[in-house]
Short mmCIF file of all heavy atoms in Angstrom, two decimals:
data_model
loop_
_atom_site.label_atom_id
_atom_site.label_comp_id
_atom_site.label_asym_id
_atom_site.label_seq_id
_atom_site.Cartn_x
_atom_site.Cartn_y
_atom_site.Cartn_z
N MET A 477 9.95 -2.59 -41.48
CA MET A 477 11.22 -2.31 -41.83
C MET A 477 12.13 -3.34 -41.07
O MET A 477 12.03 -3.67 -39.97
CB MET A 477 11.71 -0.92 -41.50
CG MET A 477 12.91 -0.45 -41.98
SD MET A 477 13.56 1.21 -41.37
CE MET A 477 12.05 2.11 -42.13
N LYS A 478 13.12 -3.97 -41.83
CA LYS A 478 14.06 -4.80 -41.19
C LYS A 478 15.02 -4.02 -40.33
O LYS A 478 15.22 -2.91 -40.61
CB LYS A 478 14.73 -5.66 -42.29
CG LYS A 478 13.97 -6.62 -42.99
CD LYS A 478 14.90 -7.40 -44.03
CE LYS A 478 14.17 -8.39 -44.77
NZ LYS A 478 14.92 -9.15 -45.75
N SER A 479 15.39 -4.60 -39.26
CA SER A 479 16.49 -4.00 -38.42
C SER A 479 17.79 -3.92 -39.27
O SER A 479 18.15 -4.86 -40.02
CB SER A 479 16.69 -4.90 -37.24
OG SER A 479 17.09 -6.17 -37.44
N GLU A 480 18.35 -2.67 -39.21
CA GLU A 480 19.50 -2.38 -40.03
C GLU A 480 20.58 -3.27 -39.74
O GLU A 480 20.86 -3.72 -38.56
CB GLU A 480 19.90 -1.00 -39.96
CG GLU A 480 18.79 -0.08 -40.45
CD GLU A 480 19.20 1.42 -40.32
OE1 GLU A 480 20.39 1.65 -39.77
OE2 GLU A 480 18.46 2.39 -40.53
N ALA A 481 21.41 -3.74 -40.79
CA ALA A 481 22.59 -4.52 -40.65
C ALA A 481 23.58 -3.70 -39.75
O ALA A 481 24.18 -2.91 -40.24
CB ALA A 481 23.19 -4.96 -41.89
N SER A 482 23.71 -4.00 -38.50
CA SER A 482 24.43 -3.23 -37.63
C SER A 482 26.01 -3.94 -37.49
O SER A 482 26.07 -4.98 -37.59
CB SER A 482 23.81 -3.04 -36.20
OG SER A 482 24.66 -2.37 -35.35
N LYS A 483 26.91 -3.13 -37.23
CA LYS A 483 28.18 -3.72 -36.91
C LYS A 483 28.31 -4.20 -35.50
O LYS A 483 29.31 -4.82 -35.08
CB LYS A 483 29.33 -2.54 -37.21
CG LYS A 483 29.25 -2.11 -38.55
CD LYS A 483 30.29 -0.92 -38.71
CE LYS A 483 30.23 -0.31 -40.11
NZ LYS A 483 31.03 0.90 -40.14
N ARG A 484 27.30 -3.95 -34.88
CA ARG A 484 27.13 -4.38 -33.35
C ARG A 484 27.22 -5.94 -33.27
O ARG A 484 26.62 -6.67 -34.10
CB ARG A 484 25.87 -3.82 -32.73
CG ARG A 484 25.76 -4.05 -31.31
CD ARG A 484 24.36 -3.60 -30.88
NE ARG A 484 24.13 -3.92 -29.36
CZ ARG A 484 24.51 -3.12 -28.49
NH1 ARG A 484 25.22 -1.96 -28.70
NH2 ARG A 484 24.29 -3.54 -27.20
N VAL A 485 27.79 -6.34 -32.14
CA VAL A 485 27.64 -7.82 -31.89
C VAL A 485 26.32 -8.26 -31.51
O VAL A 485 25.55 -7.65 -30.98
CB VAL A 485 28.63 -8.19 -30.70
CG1 VAL A 485 28.49 -9.64 -30.30
CG2 VAL A 485 30.02 -7.84 -31.10
N LYS A 486 25.92 -9.46 -32.09
CA LYS A 486 24.59 -10.02 -31.89
C LYS A 486 24.64 -11.31 -31.06
O LYS A 486 25.51 -12.20 -31.34
CB LYS A 486 23.96 -10.36 -33.30
CG LYS A 486 23.44 -9.08 -33.99
CD LYS A 486 22.70 -9.34 -35.19
CE LYS A 486 22.28 -8.13 -35.99
NZ LYS A 486 21.60 -8.45 -37.25
N SER A 487 23.87 -11.32 -29.95
CA SER A 487 23.92 -12.41 -29.14
C SER A 487 22.90 -13.55 -29.73
O SER A 487 23.30 -14.77 -29.57
CB SER A 487 23.44 -12.16 -27.74
OG SER A 487 24.18 -11.07 -27.26
N HIS A 488 21.95 -13.15 -30.31
CA HIS A 488 20.99 -14.17 -30.96
C HIS A 488 20.77 -13.68 -32.55
O HIS A 488 21.10 -12.54 -32.81
CB HIS A 488 19.54 -14.02 -30.31
CG HIS A 488 19.51 -14.81 -28.95
ND1 HIS A 488 18.89 -16.07 -28.77
CD2 HIS A 488 20.07 -14.52 -27.68
CE1 HIS A 488 19.07 -16.46 -27.54
NE2 HIS A 488 19.76 -15.59 -27.01
N LYS A 489 20.20 -14.49 -33.25
CA LYS A 489 19.91 -14.24 -34.58
C LYS A 489 18.68 -13.41 -34.71
O LYS A 489 18.57 -12.67 -35.69
CB LYS A 489 19.81 -15.55 -35.47
CG LYS A 489 21.07 -16.33 -35.65
CD LYS A 489 20.88 -17.45 -36.57
CE LYS A 489 22.18 -18.22 -36.75
NZ LYS A 489 21.97 -19.44 -37.58
N LYS A 490 17.73 -13.51 -33.70
CA LYS A 490 16.52 -12.70 -33.69
C LYS A 490 16.36 -11.99 -32.47
O LYS A 490 17.19 -12.12 -31.57
CB LYS A 490 15.36 -13.63 -33.93
CG LYS A 490 15.32 -14.35 -35.45
CD LYS A 490 13.93 -15.03 -35.55
CE LYS A 490 14.01 -15.55 -36.99
NZ LYS A 490 12.72 -16.35 -37.27
N ALA A 491 15.41 -11.11 -32.43
CA ALA A 491 15.22 -10.18 -31.29
C ALA A 491 15.13 -11.06 -29.96
O ALA A 491 14.42 -12.09 -29.77
CB ALA A 491 13.97 -9.42 -31.52
N VAL A 492 15.92 -10.65 -29.07
CA VAL A 492 15.90 -11.24 -27.56
C VAL A 492 14.67 -10.80 -26.92
O VAL A 492 14.42 -9.56 -26.73
CB VAL A 492 17.19 -10.91 -26.90
CG1 VAL A 492 17.27 -11.78 -25.61
CG2 VAL A 492 18.49 -11.36 -27.75
N THR A 493 13.97 -11.77 -26.27
CA THR A 493 12.62 -11.32 -25.69
C THR A 493 12.76 -11.41 -24.21
O THR A 493 12.08 -10.72 -23.57
CB THR A 493 11.55 -12.40 -26.13
OG1 THR A 493 12.00 -13.71 -25.88
CG2 THR A 493 11.26 -12.30 -27.51
N CYS A 494 13.77 -12.22 -23.67
CA CYS A 494 13.88 -12.35 -22.14
C CYS A 494 15.32 -12.86 -21.74
O CYS A 494 15.83 -13.64 -22.54
CB CYS A 494 12.86 -13.19 -21.68
SG CYS A 494 12.76 -13.22 -19.81
N ALA A 495 15.78 -12.34 -20.78
CA ALA A 495 16.98 -12.88 -20.12
C ALA A 495 16.94 -12.89 -18.67
O ALA A 495 16.44 -11.94 -18.01
CB ALA A 495 18.23 -11.96 -20.68
N LEU A 496 17.42 -14.03 -18.02
CA LEU A 496 17.40 -14.07 -16.67
C LEU A 496 18.64 -14.83 -16.12
O LEU A 496 19.34 -15.36 -16.88
CB LEU A 496 16.17 -14.86 -16.08
CG LEU A 496 15.88 -16.08 -16.65
CD1 LEU A 496 16.63 -17.30 -15.98
CD2 LEU A 496 14.25 -16.45 -16.46
N TYR A 497 18.91 -14.58 -14.88
CA TYR A 497 20.26 -15.13 -14.26
C TYR A 497 19.89 -16.25 -13.29
O TYR A 497 19.09 -16.21 -12.52
CB TYR A 497 21.00 -14.00 -13.56
CG TYR A 497 22.11 -14.36 -12.87
CD1 TYR A 497 23.34 -14.80 -13.55
CD2 TYR A 497 22.23 -14.44 -11.45
CE1 TYR A 497 24.44 -15.18 -12.87
CE2 TYR A 497 23.40 -14.80 -10.70
CZ TYR A 497 24.45 -15.27 -11.40
OH TYR A 497 25.55 -15.61 -10.73
N SER A 498 20.65 -17.33 -13.34
CA SER A 498 20.61 -18.47 -12.51
C SER A 498 21.79 -18.28 -11.50
O SER A 498 22.93 -18.56 -11.94
CB SER A 498 20.78 -19.75 -13.31
OG SER A 498 20.79 -20.95 -12.34
N SER A 499 21.61 -18.08 -10.37
CA SER A 499 22.64 -18.00 -9.29
C SER A 499 23.24 -19.31 -8.99
O SER A 499 24.35 -19.35 -8.47
CB SER A 499 22.09 -17.37 -7.98
OG SER A 499 21.01 -18.02 -7.51
N VAL A 500 22.49 -20.55 -9.29
CA VAL A 500 22.99 -21.68 -8.98
C VAL A 500 24.01 -22.06 -9.98
O VAL A 500 25.08 -22.63 -9.77
CB VAL A 500 21.78 -22.65 -8.95
CG1 VAL A 500 22.38 -24.19 -8.81
CG2 VAL A 500 20.91 -22.52 -7.71
#
Side-chain angles (χ1 to χ4, degrees):
M477 192 184 299
K478 291 182 180 179
S479 55
E480 297 178 1
S482 175
K483 300 175 184 178
R484 179 187 180 87
V485 174
K486 292 185 177 180
S487 309
H488 283 254
K489 292 183 179 179
K490 294 190 176 181
V492 184
T493 56
C494 187
L496 50 82
Y497 174 69
S498 172
S499 58
V500 174

